[in-house]
């Protein structure tokens, strides 16, 4: 798992900017995966809690993209208070996938901007 400053081509950041959200406070969550054998054991929830706390400690708002086909992951994020902010296209090499951009809780745990 990685929490990084956004790059120039982050679609989730573009969505934040279009909606007037504070892009300068965003942090991109990358490489958050749970092995299939470990799913259903709370590992994903604990990783999400860890990234939310780390972002909050830095006064940042975590954002990420989840493939639209990954319904279980989307439910997990939404159940933990992550908010869908728009639809986007995730690109990996020459392939494109439908994705959903989400933002996590802002620093302090509220939904204020």
């Amino acid at each position: 798992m990685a929490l990084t400053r956004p790059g120039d081509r982050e679609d989730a950041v573009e969505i934040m900017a279009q909606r007037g959200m504070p892009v300068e406070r965003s942090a991109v969550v990358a490489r958050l995966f749970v092995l299939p054998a470990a799913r259903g054991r709370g590992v994903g929830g604990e990783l999400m809690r860890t990234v939310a706390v780390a972002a909050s400690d830095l006064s940042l708002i975590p954002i990420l993209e989840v493939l639209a086909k990954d319904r279980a992951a989307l439910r997990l994020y939404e159940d933990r208070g992550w908010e869908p902010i728009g639809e986007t296209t995730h690109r990996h090499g020459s392939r494109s996938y439908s994705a959903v951009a989400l933002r996590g809780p802002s620093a302090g745990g509220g939904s204020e901007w």
Side-chain angles (χ1 to χ4, degrees), residues 31-79:
R31 297 177 187 92
L32 195 157
F33 298 100
V34 175
L35 292 172
R39 292 180 185 157
R41 298 180 185 180
V43 174
E46 186 60 25
L47 285 171
M48 290 169 46
R49 187 192 69 72
T50 299
V51 78
V53 168
S56 180
D57 287 349
L58 297 168
S59 297
L60 298 173
I61 301 166
I63 59 172
L64 54 73
E65 295 176 6
V66 176
L67 297 182
K69 69 180 181 105
D70 293 337
R71 295 287 178 211
L74 286 167
R75 276 192 309 274
L76 179 66
Y77 282 106
E78 290 180 26
D79 287 350

Side-chain angles (χ1 to χ4, degrees), residues 5 16 22-27 59-62 106-108 112-113:
R5 297 302 286 167
M16 287 181 73
V23 173
E24 68 280 358
R25 288 187 46 219
S26 65
S59 297
L60 298 173
I61 301 166
S106 61
E112 73 284 346
W113 292 104

Side-chain angles (χ1 to χ4, degrees), residues 12 15 19 21 64-65 83-88 99-103:
I15 291 169
R19 295 185 178 207
M21 298 175 186
L64 54 73
E65 295 176 6
E83 178 184 345
I85 59 171
E87 296 179 10
T88 187
V100 177
L102 297 107
R103 67 130 182 126

